[in-house]
Amino acid sequence: MRKSFNGLSGLVKNELGREPTSGDVFIFLNRNRTHLKLLHWEAGGFVLYYKRLEQGSFSPPVFTGDNHCLTWSKLVLMVEGLQVKEAHQKLRYPR
């Protein structure tokens, strides 16, 4: 977890083959999953979020297939340490 803006954006470009300035959020976890970094490009430059847990560990998302995308709500749940075993969304009808 020693890398900062340039190192992480280099990893995104060279290892993942993605463009770090695309506006996507890239998630980096250390081996013990106690440190988390989020790299994000905004209009003025890169933003780096860093969170270190005092107890416990982050639960990395489970991806199926080649699609490694996460919704914003699932990202927030992961950062906050909440796990959803089963989600059910009710249909909403206009009145």
Side-chain angles (χ1 to χ4, degrees):
M1 295 305 274
R2 295 180 185 178
K3 293 185 183 342
S4 188
F5 299 100
N6 294 332
L8 292 176
S9 62
L11 276 176
V12 169
K13 193 170 216 166
N14 298 331
E15 299 295 324
L16 300 177
R18 305 277 305 270
E19 189 59 39
T21 57
S22 65
D24 294 337
V25 177
F26 297 96
I27 304 168
F28 299 92
L29 291 168
N30 69 338
R31 189 170 302 186
N32 295 331
R33 297 190 326 243
T34 56
H35 295 71
L36 170 105
K37 284 188 180 180
L38 302 175
L39 181 69
H40 176 65
W41 173 263
E42 289 185 355
F46 283 110
V47 177
L48 187 64
Y49 298 96
Y50 183 64
K51 185 168 183 176
R52 181 188 71 169
L53 295 178
E54 295 296 323
Q55 293 179 354
S57 61
F58 291 105
S59 296
V62 178
F63 296 111
T64 56
D66 291 336
N67 188 9
H68 290 75
C69 293
L70 204 64
T71 62
W72 180 255
S73 58
K74 288 183 181 180
L75 175 65
V76 170
L77 289 174
M78 185 185 87
V79 170
E80 292 299 320
L82 301 173
Q83 288 184 331
V84 178
K85 300 284 183 189
E86 183 179 330
H88 181 75
Q89 184 174 2
K90 295 181 180 181
L91 295 176
R92 297 182 184 168
Y93 298 101
R95 292 183 181 203

